[in-house]
């Protein structure tokens, strides 16, 4: 499990990467940038979700999974 410091580092890295993609120019230039990298249009909550899921987390959907039963007490 990631510590608070590791999480802060991930958030800072994402913030720096996002600021590096900040756009100054006209609409057509922005559309060309989006064609190159569609992820620059993601909002903050989507980027945080991607950061959390990137290290290997997964959604729990299976009803027979013992972790689900333990989390939700059956």
């Amino acid at each position: 499990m990631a510590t608070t410091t590791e999480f802060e580092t991930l958030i800072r890295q994402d913030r720096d990467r996002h600021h590096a993609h900040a756009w100054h120019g006209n609409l057509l230039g922005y559309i060309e940038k989006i064609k190159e990298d569609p992820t620059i249009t993601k909002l903050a909550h989507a980027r945080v979700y991607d950061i959390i899921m990137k290290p290997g987390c997964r959604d729990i959907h299976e009803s027979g999974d013992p972790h689900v039963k333990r989390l939700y007490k059956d």
Side-chain angles (χ1 to χ4, degrees), residues 1 10 24 35 38 53 59 66 72:
M1 180 176 266
L10 290 172
H24 300 285
K35 286 179 184 178
M53 296 305 288
D59 291 331
Y72 297 108

Side-chain angles (χ1 to χ4, degrees), residues 56-71:
C57 294
R58 62 179 172 84
D59 291 331
I60 300 175
H61 292 292
E62 295 116 28
S63 59
D65 190 337
H67 296 105
V68 174
K69 289 181 180 178
R70 188 172 140 232
L71 283 172

